Amino acid sequence: MKAVWFEESIPRYLISKALGRVHYSFYYNVFSCIRYGDYPEPKLPSGKWVKIKTLMGGICGSDIGLIKLHDSPSTSPFASFPFVIGHENLGIIVEKGDEVEGFEVGDRVIADPTLSCNAREIYPPCEKCQNFEFSQCMNFNEGIVSPALMIGSCRDTGGSWGEYYVANEFQLFKVPDKVTNENAILVDAFCSALHPVMRNFPKDSDTVLVLGAGSIGINVVSALRALGSKARIIVLARYKFQGEFAKHYGADEILYTKGLSKWNLYKKVAELTSGKVLKPLLGKPVMVGGADVVFECVGNDDSIDDALRFTKQGGTTVLVGLAGITKKVDWTFVWFKELRVAGTNSSSGEIFRGERKRGYGIALQLMEEGLDLSPLLTHTFKLEDYKKAIEMNFFRGRYGLVKSAFVF
């Protein structure tokens, strides 16, 4: 099959790491860890698995972070090389194991990519999986498939940047007829926002600040409104097209950051949140007051540092952006303001309308009831055009790109 995969190579890693700063193409050219071509089709690990022919493979910010080599080496024990990239998936079942129940060849499905205990056929599941905390599974490097957090970082399962991938029946969700392909491929991105929103749901009287208006930031807004939140939502966006999408999905106010000095940015945030800006002897402004809940959806040092400063005393900072090793974050505000800092990883089980349900099921139910995220899919590509797709994701603002996917 044709696929784009990540190849483990220290020399290639070092070349890309050094020369990628000179020109971005070194992150995916012939000298990089990114390869394209013929790749072996994955096989069913057991009778409880299915093979899926890819219809669409989403391009996630974490995939771009992988290609840019932004991931911390501390995550490497939870991957197995080489692996076909791509965890955002949609496809048709073309082969099923003899123990699979509830699914048939021809079904249109998405797979929750998380390779937790049930997918790894570890029985009994760990305490986290028993409590529906699948993203906190204790066994990501055990069981019948190789170490990996999810499809798209496991050498045995394939990924959605390939023509076929495999998934355990536990991971599968049938896509309702009313939900289009263009909407269904956005389930994973929505769930990456749904999970932190449901775990840190604001009061209706709260002011919520969302830092970053890419796909995840916009989905934080859409998740809040889809779940009925009446909180005031302020979004920090860099580009007008991002702000327009955030408004469309329910943001109350947009603050455009492009061209603003740091001091003016803090003054505007303070005005919007009834805060007060103070000038320290050295460094960035300090804020007293701020937002009750801040969702940080960028993941770099400067944005994390701002998020902590923008959070009101006793408030909550939620780290949604995939932060790695930080070097310039001043953590003083965590103890000084007595903040609650929450992490989040992918999707998991949640309490939804009084029932314990998995995130993918909640998302599909909301879509069947009318939630349409398909406008966020601004660009699609053929797999052979992967270099163009990567480049455009590197420079999203230039191309007006919010979310993109490969179409097979």
Side-chain angles (χ1 to χ4, degrees):
M1 69 174 185
K2 294 297 183 184
V4 176
W5 69 92
F6 188 94
E7 186 174 280
E8 182 184 28
S9 168
I10 298 300
R12 290 178 180 276
Y13 178 92
L14 294 175
I15 289 171
S16 294
K17 196 75 172 173
L19 296 182
R21 298 168 186 169
V22 178
H23 196 274
Y24 58 84
S25 65
F26 279 94
Y27 288 121
Y28 56 80
N29 66 16
V30 68
F31 301 105
S32 75
C33 297
I34 306 302
R35 323 300 295 156
Y36 167 74
D38 292 317
Y39 194 88
E41 288 185 21
K43 298 179 180 179
L44 303 185
S46 83
K48 293 182 179 296
W49 289 64
V50 302
K51 179 184 282 189
I52 301 167
K53 181 175 176 58
T54 313
L55 291 174
M56 300 183 79
I59 302 173
C60 180
S62 64
D63 300 325
I64 300 304
L66 167 74
I67 292 166
K68 283 188 171 182
L69 307 176
H70 282 178
D71 290 357
S72 167
S74 61
T75 62
S76 60
F78 304 103
S80 46
F81 305 90
F83 58 79
V84 177
I85 303 171
H87 59 273
E88 297 181 357
N89 64 87
L90 171 69
I92 301 289
I93 295 176
V94 293
E95 179 185 351
K96 58 174 280 189
D98 55 12
E99 298 177 56
V100 172
E101 297 180 357
F103 297 91
E104 301 296 336
V105 170
D107 285 347
R108 185 173 59 131
V109 295
I110 52 176
D112 180 338
T114 305
L115 293 168
S116 54
C117 285
N118 295 78
R120 294 178 171 280
E121 299 183 21
I122 296 173
Y123 307 112
C126 72
E127 59 177 313
K128 295 297 184 181
C129 289
Q130 289 182 42
N131 290 321
F132 267 49
E133 301 286 1
F134 306 110
S135 61
Q136 299 177 34
C137 176
M138 306 292 287
N139 291 312
F140 283 127
N141 54 358
E142 305 290 343
I144 68 167
V145 292
S146 299
L149 295 175
M150 59 180 62
I151 291 172
S153 60
C154 177
R155 65 170 167 252
D156 300 329
T157 62
S160 63
W161 291 20
E163 293 180 289
Y164 297 92
Y165 57 98
V166 296
N168 185 280
E169 64 177 2
F170 178 77
Q171 298 172 273
L172 299 177
F173 292 85
K174 290 182 184 178
V175 179
D177 291 340
K178 290 173 63 175
V179 178
T180 65
N181 288 353
E182 292 76 14
N183 207 10
I185 193 59
L186 297 174
V187 163
D188 185 86
F190 179 70
C191 285
S192 293
L194 184 72
H195 179 45
V197 163
M198 295 190 79
R199 295 298 174 92
N200 302 278
F201 203 71
K203 300 189 294 289
D204 285 347
S205 58
D206 282 347
T207 292
V208 172
L209 182 64
V210 180
L211 273 65
S215 170
I216 298 301
I218 296 168
N219 274 309
V220 165
V221 176
S222 64
L224 284 164
R225 295 308 190 211
L227 295 171
S229 174
K230 295 180 175 60
R232 178 177 172 228
I233 303 175
I234 305 167
V235 175
L236 269 58
R238 186 164 175 79
Y239 303 104
K240 186 176 181 182
F241 72 90
Q242 295 174 329
E244 289 173 347
F245 274 119
K247 274 279 192 181
H248 173 75
Y249 285 102
D252 294 294
E253 289 147 291
I254 310 297
L255 175 54
Y256 292 101
T257 62
K258 189 174 183 180
L260 277 182
S261 70
K262 189 62 74 172
W263 182 258
N264 284 334
L265 171 62
Y266 272 68
K267 283 178 63 178
K268 288 183 177 294
V269 172
E271 290 169 4
L272 289 169
T273 61
S274 301
K276 181 169 60 176
V277 182
L278 305 177
K279 185 176 178 64
L281 287 174
L282 294 170
K284 290 164 67 171
V286 172
M287 182 175 290
V288 177
D292 300 284
V293 184
V294 175
F295 291 93
E296 195 288 313
C297 302
V298 180
N300 64 33
D301 283 22
D302 193 45
S303 182
I304 296 168
D305 193 60
D306 286 340
L308 297 173
R309 294 167 189 258
F310 289 155
T311 308
K312 188 178 184 178
Q313 280 82 345
T316 300
T317 306
V318 187
L319 302 181
V320 187
L322 297 180
I325 298 170
T326 59
K327 298 179 181 178
K328 298 178 182 178
V329 177
D330 186 345
W331 295 97
T332 299
F333 302 97
V334 175
W335 62 262
F336 182 70
K337 290 186 173 186
E338 296 193 11
L339 304 180
R340 176 177 174 266
V341 178
T344 179
N345 177 20
S346 189
S347 174
S348 202
E350 315 291 350
I351 302 298
F352 178 67
R353 298 176 184 172
E355 292 183 64
R356 190 165 64 166
K357 299 188 70 172
R358 291 160 63 191
Y360 267 50
I362 297 170
L364 286 169
Q365 183 174 337
L366 290 171
M367 287 180 174
E368 193 171 24
E369 292 171 357
L371 175 64
D372 183 15
L373 300 175
S374 60
L376 299 179
L377 187 66
T378 54
H379 294 74
T380 57
F381 305 92
K382 295 181 179 179
L383 189 65
E384 58 264 33
D385 296 327
Y386 74 100
K387 290 184 178 180
K388 179 182 178 182
I390 293 170
E391 178 188 344
M392 290 181 70
N393 272 271
F394 280 1
F395 302 102
R396 294 175 190 171
R398 180 187 301 172
Y399 296 106
L401 187 151
V402 176
K403 193 67 185 172
S404 58
F406 294 110
V407 179
F408 289 78

